[in-house]
Amino acid sequence: MILPLAQMQEASRAVASPLFAGLPGDCEISFEFFPPKTEKMEEQLWDSVVTLAPLGPRFVSVTYGAGGTTRERTHNTVARIARETDIPAAAHLTCVEASKGEIADVASAYWEAGVRHIVALRGDAPSSDGQFVPHPDGYASAAELVEGLRKLHPFEISVSAYPETHPEALSAASDIDFLKRKLDAGASRAITQFFFEPETFFRFRDAVAAAGIDAEIVPGIMPVSNFAAITRMSQMTGTSIPDWMADLFSGLDDHPSARQLVAATVSAEMCRKLYAGGVREFHFYTLNRAELSYAICHLLGKRPTALAQKAAA
C-alpha cells in the first residue's frame, strides 16, 4: 500500500516525539489581570495571583478602564501586589480624559507605592463608538505619555503593539512607525495585542525588524475561555479568528470542562510553535483566572521554584 503525501505527513506527526517533551522551561512569562469590582471577584483575582506566583513571573500587570473608570481599583490592586507579594507589579496608565498634572499625580502615587513599571497606553474613548480626543491639557498619544513618564521617574515602561494593525491606523507601515516612536521615547518593550496563529506574530516580528526596531516584542496570549466573548473582543480589536478555531469550539457551550481542555490545547500549541520560532517571552491575558495560563506554562516547561513557592505561601 502506498500512502499519499498528506497521509505520510500525518503519520510522521503521529509517531514523532511528544510536542512538549524535553522543553527546558527557559522562557520568561508575565500575566495580566483586571481590577476586581466585587469582593468575590477580588478573591478570585488573589487566588489566581497565588496560583501563578510560584511560576516566577517577571511581572504582573493590572489594566486601567476607559476614561480612568477603574483608576482607584487599579491603584489599590497594583499597590497590594507590590505590598504583599514579591512579584514586580506593573500598572496600566492611559491618556484618556486626564491632564498631564493628573497623570503625574497617579504616576507619582504608584512610585510611592513601590511600583516601578508602567504599561503606557493611549487608551480608548469612553464610549465604544467615539473617537479618542486628547484632554486639552493632556497627552495626545502613547508616545507623548512615555516621554512624560520618563521625565517624572525612572520607570520601566511597556507599550502596546498590534500584529494585525491598530484599527485606527492608516496602514501597517504607519502603525509600525508609531510603535517605533513609542520605543524611541523611552519604552523598554512592546506587548502585542492577542492573535491566534503563530504566523501572524512571525510576520509582524519580521516587519518590525525590517523597520529597524530591535526592542523586545512580547506576544500577548489570550487563552479562549469563552469563544463568544473572544469573538466580540476580536471584532473590537481587529483580530482575525481562523475558521478552524470556530469549528473546534463549536458545540462546547454547555461543556465548560471540555471547552477548557480544548482552549489549553489550542493556546499551548500556538505557544509551542512560537517557542520553536525563537520566542522566549510570553505575556498571558488571564481574565483573572489562573487555570489555562498555568497549564500552558506547565506544558512550556515552567515549573514552580522552591523560592517562589515559599514566597507565595
Side-chain angles (χ1 to χ4, degrees):
M1 179 181 178
I2 299 177
L3 294 176
L5 178 61
Q7 286 182 272
M8 290 173 62
Q9 292 173 331
E10 181 61 25
S12 176
R13 283 192 290 267
V15 300
S17 297
L19 185 63
F20 296 95
L23 289 180
D26 59 341
C27 57
E28 297 286 345
I29 55 174
S30 55
F31 303 107
E32 181 174 298
F33 302 101
F34 61 84
K37 295 181 180 180
T38 65
E39 186 174 330
K40 183 176 180 180
M41 292 175 68
E42 184 169 5
E43 290 176 3
Q44 178 178 300
L45 167 61
W46 281 98
D47 284 345
S48 296
V49 171
V50 170
T51 298
L52 296 169
L55 296 177
R58 60 177 177 169
F59 68 88
V60 298
S61 67
V62 182
T63 61
Y64 195 75
T69 52
T70 68
R71 178 183 298 176
E72 184 176 351
R73 288 187 283 115
T74 297
H75 182 276
N76 291 342
T77 302
V78 174
R80 184 180 175 188
I81 292 172
R83 183 176 64 250
E84 299 183 17
T85 79
D86 292 328
I87 310 170
H92 287 220
L93 191 56
T94 76
C95 307
V96 179
E97 295 189 345
S99 67
K100 293 179 181 178
E102 290 170 326
I103 288 174
D105 289 342
V106 173
S108 293
Y110 281 132
W111 187 265
E112 291 171 8
V115 176
R116 298 294 183 262
H117 187 170
I118 298 290
V119 180
L121 309 166
R122 188 204 68 179
D124 298 321
S127 59
S128 59
D129 58 346
Q131 292 290 319
F132 171 79
V133 177
H135 187 285
D137 299 316
Y139 296 109
S141 68
E144 289 185 9
L145 175 60
V146 170
E147 187 176 5
L149 289 171
R150 294 292 294 173
K151 293 177 181 178
L152 292 171
H153 301 284
F155 284 113
E156 177 182 359
I157 300 176
S158 297
V159 294
S160 61
Y162 294 83
E164 296 176 86
T165 306
H166 191 284
E168 297 177 25
L170 296 176
S171 65
S174 67
D175 199 32
I176 291 176
D177 181 65
F178 194 72
L179 171 60
K180 190 174 189 302
R181 287 174 55 194
K182 291 188 286 187
L183 294 165
D184 289 346
S188 305
R189 72 180 58 79
I191 302 170
T192 76
Q193 180 61 269
F194 62 87
F195 54 92
F196 296 116
E197 294 187 294
E199 293 80 6
T200 301
F201 178 81
F202 292 139
R203 284 193 294 268
F204 179 68
R205 187 177 64 177
D206 289 348
V208 165
I213 296 173
D214 60 2
E216 179 184 345
I217 308 296
V218 182
I221 309 300
M222 177 75 83
V224 183
S225 58
N226 183 309
F227 189 73
I230 287 294
T231 300
R232 291 192 297 271
M233 294 173 65
S234 297
Q235 289 172 346
M236 291 187 290
T237 59
T239 301
S240 301
I241 298 180
D243 292 339
W244 59 260
M245 181 176 284
D247 182 63
L248 276 179
F249 284 94
S250 177
L252 294 179
D253 291 347
D254 298 325
H255 302 278
S257 296
R259 185 172 68 241
Q260 196 167 47
L261 289 171
V262 172
T265 300
V266 170
S267 294
E269 183 181 68
M270 184 177 75
C271 289
R272 180 65 180 89
K273 291 179 178 179
L274 291 171
Y275 183 93
V279 174
R280 293 297 181 271
E281 298 85 19
F282 298 88
H283 183 74
F284 293 92
Y285 299 110
T286 69
L287 300 180
N288 289 14
R289 301 192 66 90
E291 297 88 351
L292 289 175
S293 296
Y294 192 100
I296 296 163
C297 290
H298 182 88
L299 287 168
L300 289 173
K302 296 296 290 185
R303 299 292 188 271
T305 65
L307 183 63
Q309 284 180 310
K310 182 178 179 180

